[in-house]
Amino acid sequence: MSDYYQCQDLACFAEIGNEAPELAEKFFAYYQSVFAEGALSEREKALIALAVAHALQCPYCIDAYTTGCLEKGGTLAEMTEAVHVAAAIRGGASLVHGVQMRRRARDISL
């Protein structure tokens, strides 16, 4: 299992369109539009993507957006803060579901 994710696979991402080129073209066009300069800078979007990559625990995205953040002028301090934001949101989401657990426990308690 430790070799399930191989960093060289990221370079093969475009192959996902080999059997479905129209869908892949639409996805990649959308993806490029999302990450283009807009109300948010490309650097800010890369930091958001890095945080989401950690929340989703996607090693490919972590590699890609670590590189992307550095290429767009992100600092290690900004990137570390982004990861902490992801951890706080993920942890908070786990804890807030404790409300359902507590309600369920009260409902079935004898």
Side-chain angles (χ1 to χ4, degrees):
M1 189 67 177
S2 64
D3 60 350
Y4 184 78
Y5 291 104
Q6 298 179 11
C7 60
Q8 65 269 23
D9 288 347
L10 187 58
C12 303
F13 189 25
E15 292 177 13
I16 200 68
N18 287 355
E19 282 72 36
E22 289 178 25
L23 293 174
E25 286 174 24
K26 289 177 182 176
F27 172 79
F28 289 119
Y30 170 75
Y31 195 90
Q32 284 184 324
S33 295
V34 166
F35 283 94
E37 195 83 15
L40 296 174
S41 69
E42 290 183 5
R43 184 184 62 78
E44 291 167 325
K45 290 179 179 183
L47 288 165
I48 292 168
L50 182 66
V52 172
H54 281 79
L56 297 176
Q57 299 179 331
C58 174
Y60 301 116
C61 298
I62 291 169
D63 283 358
Y65 286 101
T66 296
T67 302
C69 283
L70 292 171
E71 288 173 349
K72 291 169 179 41
T75 66
L76 189 55
E78 291 172 326
M79 294 160 60
T80 301
E81 270 190 39
V83 171
H84 278 287
V85 169
I89 294 297
R90 193 173 172 126
S94 295
L95 289 174
V96 78
H97 279 86
V99 172
Q100 282 84 1
M101 176 276 295
R102 294 173 57 81
R103 183 182 321 118
R104 181 72 178 144
R106 280 193 304 268
D107 289 349
I108 62 174
S109 290
L110 300 175

